[in-house]
Amino acid sequence: MPAACETRQPSRRPATLLAALLLAAPLLGASCAWGQAPAPLAERLAEIREINRFVPEKALPMLQAIEPEARAGSVQDKVELLAHLCLAHYYLGKFDQALAVCDELVRLGRLEKNNAAVAKGLLHQAYVKYAQNELALSHTLIWEAERLAGTTNDVELRMRAGISSAEAYAEDGNFPRALEGMQAIVTWTRKHGDKVHLVIALNSMAKLYVTMRGYDKGFEALDEAMALAAKTVSPGRLALLKATEYRLAVGTGQMTRALQAQLDELALQRELGAHSAVPYSLVNLADCYLKMHDHRRALAYGLQAFEAARALGNENLVATARVNIGQAYLAGGRVAEGKRSFEQGLAIYEKLGSKPELQAVLAEYGNALERAGDHAGAVHAYHRERALSNELFEKRRQKAMLELQEKYDADRKQRQIELLQRENQVKSVEIDNRRLQQRVWWLLAVVFALASVVVGLLYRKVRHANAQLYRKNLELKQQSVRDPLTGLYNRRHFQEFMRNYESADQRADQRGAGVSGDEMVSALFLLDVDHFKHINDTWGHGAGDEVLIKLADSLREILRETDMIVRWGGEEFLAFLPALPKSSLDEVARRLLNGIADTHIVFQGTRLSANVSIGFAPFPLGPGGEPLSWERAVNLVDMALYMAKGHGRNRAYGVCGFANFGRTSMEEIEQNLEQAWRAGFVEMSIVTGGYPELRASA
C-alpha cells in the first residue's frame, strides 16, 4: 500500500461549502408542516449543499425532488441545481451522469454569459476527469476555471478554483508553483473569506505539505484549522480534518495517532450516515493494521471494506480491499487464500485498465510472497511486474520521441515560413528595381548592386539554415539510440548491434588465450536496482530518476570505455563486455556490486544509496560448442538475476557453463534455471555484496 495508507482510487473532491448542520434534511420539510409555506428555493438549495458534500446518497434524491421547480426558476437557481447534481453524481461514482450535467451547466453559463456558472461546470468536469485518470485534461480544465473564477465576486468559487489549481501543479511535480499558489489562496481567504472558508484553505495547505513531506508545517496548518473548526458545528468538516491528521501522522511514523484519527473519522462518517465515504476509511484501517503487523484486525477491516465497497459498486475499492485481505492472509501463513484474494484484486485492476496501479500491486504481491516463503510465486510476480514496467517505460519513451519529432517538425515549418518571407522580400525588391529601371536609368547600376548584396546575404542565411538542419538531424539520430534520462544506449540500439555483432573471423580471434592462457570471452551483465519502488514511494519519482542517473554514471566509471552499457528498461541496466578473461567475470561482478553501493546520491538534501542484484554469463554461451543466440543468453542471465533477487538481493549469480548435458536439454534448463543448477546440470558462480541494501541520511 502507499506510504500514507491511502486508498488507491484518485479522489480529489472539491473544497467544502458554507458551514451548516450536515443532516439538515428535516429542515427542508419543516417549513411545510402545519400548513406553512415552503422555504424559498435558494434556502433549500443551500441546505442541501452541505449534505451533498458529505452524504451524497441522501442529497441526490432531495435534489431530484426539487429539480422541476429549480429548472422553472431563475438562472441562478438553475445554476445551483446543476452544480449540486453534478457533484452528487460524481461523489457516488456515476461519472457519465456527472459529465452530462456539467456539460449542461457549461452551456447554460456561456449562453447567459455567466462566468461563475462556466467556471463551476469546468471545475466539476476536472474532478471527474481526474477520477478517470485523465490528469492532463483535468489540469487544463482547472486552470481555465481558475481564470474565469477570477473575473467573478464569488469568494467560495475563487477559493475552490485556487486550491484545485495548486493541487494540479503539485500533481505535475511543480511543487514551488503549487506552494506559492496555495499560500496565496490562504492569504486571500484570510482577507475575503469567513472562518469556514479559512478552515477549508488551511486543510488543503496541510494536505499539500503532506505531499511535499513538510510535516511540521503541515501540523501547524492543521492545528489552526482545528481551532477554527471547533467554533463551527460541522461533524463532516471535522471528519475531513481527521483524515488530514491521519495522513500527517502516518507520514511521521506516529501510527498510534494515525490509527486513532482514522477511527475517529470512521465514527463521524457513520454518525452522519455518509455510507459512500465509509469504505475508504475501512480500507485505510486495514492498511494501517497491516503496517502495524496486526494481521487479525487488518483482515477483519479488509473484509468489512470489501463488503462495503461491493455494496457501493466501486470496483476500484473492491480491488484494493481484495489486495489488503490477500496481504493479511499471506502474513498470517494462509498462502493459498492470500494468493487467491490477491489474484482477484489484480483481475479487477486489469479489467479497469489501470496499468500503473497494477504495476504497484504486482510489486506488493511479490514482496508479500517473498516474506511468506513462496519464492517461486514471488519470482513469477516480479516477472509480471517487470514486463508491465517495460511496457510502460516503452510508452513513455515513444511519447518522448513523438514530442521531439513534433518539435523538430515545428522548427522546420518555421524555417520554411522564414524562407518564404525572404523570397517574397526578394520579389518585392525585384519589382521595385524594375520600376526604378523604367524611371531612373542612371541609378540602374546602383540598384543591381544592391540586389546582388541582398541575394548574397539571403544565400548565406539559407546555407546557415541548412547547416543547422544537418546538425539537428545528427542530434535526432543520436537521441534515437540513447535513453533520454541516463544518456546510456537504449534497448533498440543494443538489439540492432547484436544482430550485426561479430563476424565469424572476429569470434575466432576473441577465443584466443588471455593472460596465462586464460580463455578470452565476451560477457553479459544484467543489473536490477533493489527495492527501487521503495525509493519512489518514500522520496518520490524525482529521487528515483536521480538514483538511475547516478548509477548510470557509476557504471561508466566502473566499466571500460569499450563496454556497451544499456538502459534495459525501468530500473534495469545491461552491460555487454567484449574481450576479457573468462576468469575475471566474478571480479567484475564484485566491482559492480561494491562500486554501485558506494555511489554518492543526494536528492533534496537527503543522501541516498542503493544496491543491485546481478545476473551474468560469458558470451557466447552454450553446451557442446553450440552457442545460444544472444536473446536466449540474455534470458538465462535474466533468470540468474531473479535467482539473485530471490536469494536475498545485493548479490550476483553467474551462469558459468553446463554439465551432464546428455541427461537434460537446453529447453528444460531454460524452464527452471535454479532447479537445473541444483540438479548439477548448470555450473554457477555466486558473488555477494558487502554493503547494506538501502541507506538514507540527511
Side-chain angles (χ1 to χ4, degrees):
M1 296 294 291
C5 302
E6 294 177 353
T7 55
R8 291 188 174 82
Q9 183 178 4
S11 180
R12 187 212 291 122
R13 292 188 172 180
T16 52
L17 311 180
L18 294 176
L21 288 173
L22 295 182
L23 299 181
L27 297 177
L28 298 177
S31 58
C32 296
W34 307 102
Q36 295 180 13
L41 181 59
E43 291 183 14
R44 283 177 282 157
L45 283 170
E47 290 168 350
I48 294 174
R49 178 171 54 184
E50 195 79 353
I51 298 172
N52 192 24
R53 176 61 185 88
F54 300 104
V55 196
E57 57 269 35
K58 293 186 178 181
L60 183 57
M62 295 178 186
L63 290 167
Q64 291 169 337
I66 65 172
E67 183 174 357
E69 181 183 355
R71 287 186 177 276
S74 67
V75 172
Q76 187 58 36
D77 289 340
K78 189 183 293 188
V79 167
E80 289 301 305
L81 171 76
L82 293 175
H84 300 334
L85 274 176
C86 178
L87 286 177
H89 288 307
Y90 161 69
Y91 291 148
L92 295 173
K94 301 176 180 179
F95 297 146
D96 291 340
Q97 295 94 318
L99 287 175
V101 178
C102 288
D103 289 342
E104 183 181 356
L105 177 56
V106 171
R107 287 196 301 271
L108 175 63
R110 287 175 175 160
L111 179 64
E112 299 292 338
K113 297 182 180 180
N114 186 328
N115 283 353
V118 177
K120 288 179 181 179
L122 294 176
L123 202 58
H124 297 167
Q125 283 179 340
Y127 299 148
V128 178
K129 290 301 179 183
Y130 178 90
Q132 294 178 328
N133 292 318
E134 297 184 43
L135 261 64
L137 177 55
S138 173
H139 296 169
T140 300
L141 292 169
I142 283 171
W143 291 324
E144 175 62 14
E146 182 187 28
R147 184 186 67 79
L148 291 173
T151 66
T152 73
N153 296 321
D154 191 325
V155 173
E156 184 175 313
L157 176 61
R158 294 180 64 173
M159 175 201 65
R160 188 145 44 96
I163 289 172
S164 296
S165 173
E167 290 172 343
Y169 283 117
E171 288 155 10
D172 272 352
N174 190 346
F175 291 112
R177 181 72 177 271
L179 184 58
E180 179 185 355
M182 192 67 78
Q183 288 172 338
I185 204 64
V186 169
T187 301
W188 186 88
T189 305
R190 288 186 191 278
K191 182 177 179 181
H192 300 282
D194 57 22
K195 291 179 181 178
V196 173
H197 293 144
L198 187 54
V199 169
I200 295 168
L202 288 169
N203 188 41
S204 299
M205 172 73 83
K207 290 191 290 185
L208 177 60
Y209 277 126
V210 171
T211 304
M212 297 174 62
R213 294 181 173 82
Y215 300 114
D216 291 342
K217 293 184 178 179
F219 276 117
E220 289 179 9
L222 178 65
D223 290 342
E224 184 180 355
M226 283 284 194
L228 288 170
K231 301 175 183 179
T232 67
V233 183
S234 177
R237 190 158 293 106
L238 181 59
L240 290 179
L241 294 176
K242 284 294 181 181
T244 304
E245 180 185 4
Y246 161 74
R247 296 178 62 189
L248 285 165
V250 170
T252 53
Q254 302 177 60
M255 294 307 300
T256 301
R257 180 175 180 179
L259 180 61
Q260 187 58 53
Q262 187 60 69
L263 289 170
D264 291 344
E265 182 186 5
L266 178 61
L268 288 166
Q269 289 167 345
R270 285 175 168 164
E271 174 188 343
L272 297 169
H275 304 298
S276 60
V278 166
Y280 294 92
S281 293
L282 292 173
V283 166
N284 283 346
L285 281 169
D287 194 38
C288 276
Y289 277 120
L290 282 173
K291 291 182 180 297
M292 298 172 74
H293 307 293
D294 189 341
H295 306 129
R296 181 179 61 83
R297 286 191 174 90
L299 178 59
Y301 277 106
L303 292 170
Q304 290 183 51
F306 169 72
E307 294 298 334
R310 187 168 61 175
L312 188 63
N314 189 318
E315 288 191 320
N316 202 312
L317 269 181
V318 170
T320 305
R322 282 288 190 193
V323 169
N324 283 343
I325 292 169
Q327 285 188 326
Y329 277 142
L330 288 174
R334 298 162 67 175
V335 177
E337 293 170 281
K339 293 174 73 173
R340 182 165 55 252
S341 186
F342 247 113
E343 292 293 345
Q344 289 170 340
L346 289 169
I348 296 174
Y349 284 125
E350 288 179 339
K351 184 180 74 173
L352 295 175
S354 179
K355 291 187 177 181
E357 197 71 33
L358 182 60
Q359 180 189 0
V361 175
L362 283 170
E364 291 178 10
Y365 191 21
N367 291 332
L369 288 172
E370 185 178 352
R371 290 192 297 269
D374 186 354
H375 297 296
V379 169
H380 181 63
Y382 290 140
H383 272 295
R384 292 168 65 185
E385 186 273 336
R386 197 188 59 136
L388 188 57
S389 173
N390 289 341
E391 178 184 344
L392 295 174
F393 170 78
E394 183 63 22
K395 287 182 178 179
R396 289 193 294 268
R397 188 190 69 80
Q398 291 175 357
K399 181 181 178 183
M401 291 297 296
L402 286 174
E403 290 175 351
L404 184 63
Q405 184 65 44
E406 289 175 0
K407 183 178 183 302
Y408 168 76
D409 291 340
D411 290 343
R412 184 179 61 183
K413 290 178 180 178
Q414 183 61 34
R415 286 193 295 272
Q416 290 174 344
I417 291 171
E418 292 174 355
L419 287 173
L420 288 173
Q421 290 175 341
R422 293 188 183 109
E423 289 176 1
N424 290 335
Q425 291 174 356
V426 171
K427 290 178 181 178
S428 297
V429 170
E430 291 175 351
I431 292 172
D432 292 341
N433 286 341
R434 283 197 296 270
R435 290 174 179 173
L436 289 172
Q437 184 180 19
Q438 294 172 0
R439 296 177 182 180
V440 190
W441 289 98
W442 61 273
L443 292 176
L444 183 62
V446 176
V447 171
F448 277 126
L450 180 61
S452 298
V453 171
V454 172
V455 171
L457 290 174
L458 291 174
Y459 177 72
R460 288 180 61 187
K461 289 184 178 180
V462 169
R463 288 188 60 187
H464 179 67
N466 287 336
Q468 286 185 322
L469 181 61
Y470 176 75
R471 286 196 296 271
K472 289 290 184 182
N473 285 332
L474 290 179
E475 291 175 5
L476 186 61
K477 181 178 180 182
Q478 179 70 6
Q479 290 167 352
S480 70
V481 302
R482 293 284 183 177
D483 171 58
L485 178 66
T486 62
L488 300 177
Y489 287 112
N490 59 28
R491 182 193 287 251
R492 186 178 69 177
H493 176 73
F494 178 76
Q495 290 170 338
E496 293 175 355
F497 171 80
M498 291 305 292
R499 280 194 288 268
N500 302 317
Y501 172 66
E502 292 188 341
S503 66
D505 291 338
Q506 287 174 317
R507 291 187 177 183
D509 293 341
Q510 177 181 288
R511 295 191 184 99
V515 180
S516 302
D518 193 6
E519 181 183 1
M520 298 295 287
V521 296
S522 295
L524 291 164
F525 285 77
L526 187 60
L527 303 86
D528 186 273
V529 182
D530 293 334
H531 299 298
F532 186 73
K533 181 180 181 299
H534 176 68
I535 295 173
N536 279 334
D537 287 349
T538 305
W539 293 285
H541 289 280
D545 290 347
E546 186 66 17
V547 168
L548 294 177
I549 292 169
K550 293 299 184 183
L551 293 191
D553 293 341
S554 293
L555 288 174
R556 294 188 186 97
E557 294 177 3
I558 295 169
L559 299 176
R560 304 169 301 183
E561 291 184 357
T562 56
D563 299 333
M564 177 179 287
I565 310 171
V566 181
R567 173 88 182 277
W568 194 240
E571 63 271 21
E572 285 190 333
F573 300 90
L574 178 70
F576 178 77
L577 284 61
L580 75 166
K582 187 174 183 180
S583 62
S584 68
L585 298 190
D586 286 5
E587 181 56 30
V588 173
R590 186 173 290 105
R591 286 206 318 270
L592 288 169
L593 289 170
N594 295 336
I596 289 175
D598 281 335
T599 300
H600 181 75
I601 307 169
V602 176
F603 179 74
Q604 294 183 352
T606 299
R607 180 173 180 177
L608 307 172
S609 61
N611 292 352
V612 295
S613 297
I614 302 175
F616 66 94
F619 183 82
L621 175 68
E626 296 182 5
L628 299 173
S629 67
W630 72 266
E631 293 94 338
R632 295 179 72 180
V634 169
N635 185 55
L636 278 178
V637 170
D638 184 52
M639 296 174 72
L641 165 64
Y642 273 88
M643 286 178 65
K645 287 277 188 186
H647 287 273
R649 296 186 175 86
N650 191 24
R651 60 194 64 211
Y653 273 55
V655 179
C656 302
F658 304 91
N660 303 319
F661 198 74
R663 294 165 50 198
T664 186
S665 67
M666 200 65 230
E667 289 73 19
E668 291 180 357
I669 292 173
E670 290 174 321
Q671 242 355 72
N672 194 325
L673 180 62
E674 181 163 359
Q675 181 178 325
W677 170 48
R678 296 189 182 281
F681 299 132
V682 179
E683 299 172 0
M684 298 196 72
S685 176
I686 303 173
V687 180
T688 58
Y691 298 92
E693 290 191 359
L694 177 64
R695 303 186 300 274
S697 60

